[in-house]
Amino acid sequence: MAIHERSLVEPERILRKDRLVIDGVDVSGDWNLIILPRVIDDYDLDFAKEVMNAPDGKTIVNCYQCSYCTASCPVHNYWDERYNPRHFIYLARLGMVDELQKRADVMWRCVSCHKCTHRCPKGVLVEEVLKVILRVMAKKGLIDEYPSKKFDKFFTETVLEYGRIEDGELLFGWIEKQGYKVVKDPILKKPIPFIGETPEWLKQLTVKPIKSMNIGFLVLNAKHMLFHPRTKNWNRFKQVLRKVMQEEGALT
């Protein structure tokens, strides 16, 4: 039997009377809270089978809904309680695709800390299972491409181009892709840090460490921002790597 948190029940299905008397006994207060039942007939069991058939989705069958994963999840506890790994697994196993779609805006927020997987007493690879659920949803066209997937593509393209990343360019390039206006130098068309629309959280996050850096390190980073460092003989190797990744479906 599934365990349901109060936050997962729709408010319109929760009833509480001001005063309730049953067989002459006054049960007013917390005892008179009633959750109305609902009937669901639009489930898709093929969805669950597709998750189970994936190599990294097989362990979903081991889940017995103890909720250790959710209890240890920092995203659930400190950011958004709607991010609930246990509930996502529950919905996927029942094929309740509509319910998963309602939560698509938070399902990609996993921070890959692996606490859920390490604490699962049944050996469910929770993080991997959730990623399979997202992949199946994306494959079926049930969700838009989520931000972390877009970042993965951006990161991969950068590595394929240069063989290595340059932190500043990656960061401000990603900010530009999020819709912020980034100012670029007129010659190399590289983003100039902190000129343009820079999110306030980024300023607070980076200004303090920058103040403690020595001049030589700052100059080196500025140089790398203008002239992206490249792995030796990368042009020869990247063609092979890109071809292999395309053949294996890792590039779209």
Side-chain angles (χ1 to χ4, degrees):
M1 180 178 178
I3 304 166
H4 284 298
E5 293 91 328
R6 169 75 177 273
S7 62
L8 299 176
V9 181
E10 298 86 349
E12 59 271 20
R13 292 177 51 223
I14 299 176
L15 293 182
R16 186 198 297 271
K17 295 182 179 296
D18 292 336
R19 186 166 184 269
L20 182 64
V21 178
I22 299 177
D23 294 335
V25 178
D26 189 337
V27 294
S28 302
D30 288 340
W31 292 100
N32 74 3
L33 188 145
I34 301 169
I35 298 176
L36 297 178
R38 62 174 176 169
V39 177
I40 297 172
D41 55 12
D42 56 347
Y43 50 85
D44 179 6
L45 293 182
D46 288 338
F47 182 90
K49 289 178 183 175
E50 194 160 346
V51 174
M52 294 174 195
N53 289 335
D56 40 0
K58 292 178 180 176
T59 58
I60 191 174
V61 298
N62 297 341
C63 178
Y64 63 169
Q65 295 288 297
C66 69
S67 203
Y68 261 104
C69 53
T70 300
S72 59
C73 176
V75 179
H76 173 80
N77 292 317
Y78 302 112
W79 189 3
D80 190 337
E81 69 173 11
R82 291 195 307 143
Y83 186 85
N84 191 319
R86 178 201 68 75
H87 193 55
F88 299 153
I89 289 175
Y90 171 73
L91 296 174
R93 291 186 64 172
L94 293 180
M96 296 169 66
V97 176
D98 287 349
E99 294 296 320
L100 285 172
Q101 278 183 293
K102 292 177 185 176
R103 295 155 178 82
D105 60 322
V106 297
M107 288 184 65
W108 55 269
R109 287 180 174 171
C110 173
V111 294
S112 299
C113 67
H114 289 282
K115 281 187 175 179
C116 52
T117 297
H118 286 301
R119 295 188 175 178
C120 176
K122 295 290 287 181
V124 180
L125 303 176
V126 181
E127 182 188 343
E128 285 76 5
V129 167
L130 296 181
K131 287 180 178 176
V132 174
I133 292 173
L134 282 170
R135 282 209 303 269
V136 174
M137 291 178 72
K139 180 182 174 183
K140 292 178 175 292
L142 300 172
I143 56 173
D144 296 329
E145 194 171 48
Y146 43 97
S148 60
K149 185 71 175 178
K150 291 179 183 176
F151 179 80
D152 289 346
K153 278 187 176 179
F154 181 57
F155 184 93
T156 302
E157 283 299 328
T158 302
V159 173
L160 282 173
E161 180 61 29
Y162 300 102
R164 56 192 292 185
I165 63 167
E166 196 290 309
D167 295 338
E169 189 176 323
L170 183 75
L171 176 60
F172 288 98
W174 176 242
I175 287 174
E176 182 182 19
K177 287 187 176 296
Q178 295 301 298
Y180 291 94
K181 185 178 180 181
V182 175
V183 176
K184 297 181 179 179
D185 74 89
I187 300 175
L188 298 174
K189 307 298 182 186
K190 300 283 186 179
I192 302 175
F194 303 109
I195 298 181
E197 296 177 348
T198 303
E200 192 58 35
W201 62 266
L202 179 61
K203 292 178 182 175
Q204 296 178 7
L205 186 70
T206 55
V207 166
K208 189 175 180 180
I210 286 177
K211 286 181 179 176
S212 61
M213 291 181 186
N214 63 51
I215 296 297
F217 190 71
L218 286 172
V219 170
L220 177 64
N221 277 275
K223 176 187 171 186
H224 284 173
M225 278 285 291
L226 291 174
F227 304 101
H228 197 125
R230 184 186 293 268
T231 299
K232 189 177 180 181
N233 296 324
W234 183 249
N235 281 336
R236 295 170 58 189
F237 184 70
K238 75 176 183 182
Q239 295 176 15
V240 177
L241 180 60
R242 186 180 289 275
K243 183 178 179 181
V244 172
M245 293 179 71
Q246 286 173 337
E247 289 177 352
E248 295 188 353
L251 288 180
T252 57

